Amino acid sequence: TKESFDAKAVHQLIEKDLGTLLGRQKYDGSFGLWKLQEASPAPPLVSLQVIRAVMLAKERGYTVPADKLKLAQKYLKTFQPQIPRDYTKGARIALVAYALYLRYLHNDIDSKGALDLVRPYISAHKADALELEAAAWLLPLLKNDRASVKEYAFLRASLVDKVTETASSASIAPFSYGDSDWLMYHSPDRTEAVVLESLIESEPDNDLIPKLAKDLLTRRTNGRWESTQENVIALLALSKYFHTYEK
């Protein structure tokens, strides 16, 4: 209830948790899963998700030391060689696309990096080969690039063609990273949230947006989705939806 909500206590708790997270940052800007030193490195997506949280916390006024933030930003540009070789090609491309999207969210737009990922698929005429989440993360980077109209159209088609739409709702067709699904923490509801956020960023007047938001909300059970990943990404997308259309 409003009476029991203690904003100061919540702020202090977030500061404490943020400090714990930052204490797990390594020399290269990546993060351990449970602690700084671990027997095996965490999946790269873990570091990307933590970096997103850290950057968002900084944006919201929480304490993030400049050296920690600089290391995180550097990791987004240099982590690609650290992706294990046993990841599928689709998973590797998606990780790089996500890193580019995180940079975009903080006004570091690398349209050339996005084009380098997209153009081989266009040349090979393989629209279906580009993973859906990768297309969603790359789309906003090219929305204002007049020299990349062809590539933007390709990404948009890769996205929209996988949406099943009715008069009142829309949903995303299933896809998979294959053997890398578990390394990417992949799930259908997270993918739908990623697509929703991408369209809000890229095409805020797209008719699919309210339909995807509606469908995403119906996928909850007892007010939540099935995993932490789904909860976080869905809430980020729906928060963007609320602040864009209903504030």
Side-chain angles (χ1 to χ4, degrees), residues 67-102:
D67 60 331
K68 296 285 189 180
L69 186 61
K70 186 176 181 180
L71 266 181
Q73 292 168 333
K74 180 181 178 181
Y75 178 80
L76 294 178
K77 299 178 182 180
T78 60
F79 82 100
Q80 189 172 353
Q82 299 179 29
I83 302 174
R85 294 182 179 180
D86 58 350
Y87 276 51
T88 62
K89 179 181 178 181
R92 296 172 64 87
I93 295 296
L95 287 168
V96 177
Y98 190 34
L100 289 170
Y101 179 65
L102 295 184

Side-chain angles (χ1 to χ4, degrees), residues 108-231:
D108 179 14
I109 303 174
D110 184 359
S111 55
K112 181 183 181 301
L115 292 172
D116 287 344
L117 292 181
V118 175
R119 282 175 173 163
Y121 290 92
I122 297 177
S123 299
H125 303 287
K126 292 183 177 180
D128 291 339
L130 182 62
E131 302 294 5
L132 181 54
E133 288 183 330
W137 284 320
L138 293 173
L139 188 69
L141 277 75
L142 302 182
K143 65 180 180 181
N144 295 321
D145 188 348
R146 294 182 179 180
S148 305
V149 173
K150 178 180 179 181
E151 290 82 2
Y152 182 88
F154 175 87
L155 288 171
R156 188 182 189 280
S158 299
L159 214 67
V160 175
D161 289 352
K162 295 180 177 67
V163 177
T164 301
E165 184 180 11
T166 68
S168 60
S169 66
S171 59
I172 304 298
F175 91 99
S176 172
Y177 289 106
D179 292 341
S180 294
D181 267 354
W182 69 279
L183 294 165
M184 295 295 291
Y185 302 98
H186 170 62
S187 69
D189 291 352
R190 188 190 74 179
T191 299
E192 186 156 307
V194 168
V195 171
L196 172 61
E197 184 176 9
S198 174
L199 288 176
I200 295 171
E201 283 284 341
S202 307
E203 301 181 4
D205 295 327
N206 194 306
D207 292 340
L208 289 172
I209 291 172
K211 295 180 179 182
L212 287 170
K214 177 182 177 182
D215 188 70
L216 188 59
L217 285 168
T218 64
R219 292 176 176 271
R220 295 174 299 170
T221 300
N222 296 323
R224 60 180 181 270
W225 292 268
E226 290 189 5
S227 70
T228 304
Q229 285 288 312
E230 290 185 356
N231 285 328

Side-chain angles (χ1 to χ4, degrees), residues 42-61:
L45 185 63
V46 170
S47 291
L48 298 184
Q49 296 290 51
V50 175
I51 289 172
R52 183 171 192 179
V54 168
M55 295 172 83
L56 183 60
K58 174 67 175 178
E59 182 182 302
R60 299 293 171 84

Side-chain angles (χ1 to χ4, degrees), residues 28-44:
D28 61 354
S30 67
F31 289 83
L33 187 58
W34 297 109
K35 55 185 178 180
L36 179 59
Q37 301 297 332
E38 296 176 321
S40 57

